[in-house]
């Protein structure tokens, strides 16, 4: 399922992959930010710690982790971004 994500005035054509419900979630890059390598971390529903860093699945595909909190709970999400559509390649967990 594709979504347009509005971030700092730019619309990204990121594709939503999945989300997992967790107790807490913090994101070092503040959301779906494709030009910065970030890490989501927190506590799972069973009390374990997790840490997931944005990564390049291929030289053009970025998997971007982000946090979401709404009335249903707190989640970490996985988004896919085609860096080539931004005129960039994927390297070190970011489009550049």
């Amino acid at each position: 399922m594709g979504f347009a994500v509005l971030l700092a005035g730019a619309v990204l054509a990121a594709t939503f992959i999945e989300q997992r419900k967790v107790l807490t979630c913090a994101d070092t890059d503040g959301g779906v930010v494709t030009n910065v390598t970030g890490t989501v971390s927190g506590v799972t529903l069973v009390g374990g710690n997790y840490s997931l860093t944005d990564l390049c699945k291929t030289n053009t595909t970025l998997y971007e982790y982000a946090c979401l909190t709404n009335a249903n709970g707190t989640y970490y999400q996985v988004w896919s971004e085609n860096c080539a559509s931004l005129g960039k390649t994927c390297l070190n967990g970011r489009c550049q």
Side-chain angles (χ1 to χ4, degrees):
M1 176 184 308
F3 292 92
V5 178
L6 180 61
L7 179 67
V11 177
L12 305 176
T15 301
F16 178 77
I17 303 294
E18 68 174 328
Q19 67 183 16
R20 301 286 171 122
K21 193 168 190 177
V22 293
L23 289 177
T24 65
C25 187
D27 186 355
T28 61
D29 67 9
V32 182
V33 181
T34 61
N35 64 343
V36 176
T37 304
T39 300
V40 296
S41 60
V43 179
T44 67
L45 293 177
V46 296
N49 294 322
Y50 69 92
S51 179
L52 302 161
T53 300
D54 301 342
L55 61 98
C56 297
K57 292 298 275 187
T58 69
N59 67 343
T60 59
T61 303
L62 170 68
Y63 271 24
E64 174 76 20
Y65 294 96
C67 297
L68 170 70
T69 299
N70 61 28
N72 296 317
T74 299
Y75 304 85
Y76 76 75
Q77 299 181 317
V78 185
W79 294 81
S80 176
E81 178 65 69
N82 179 354
C83 297
S85 71
L86 303 171
K88 300 179 179 186
T89 60
C90 194
L91 185 64
N92 298 320
R94 65 181 184 226
C95 295
Q96 53 184 17

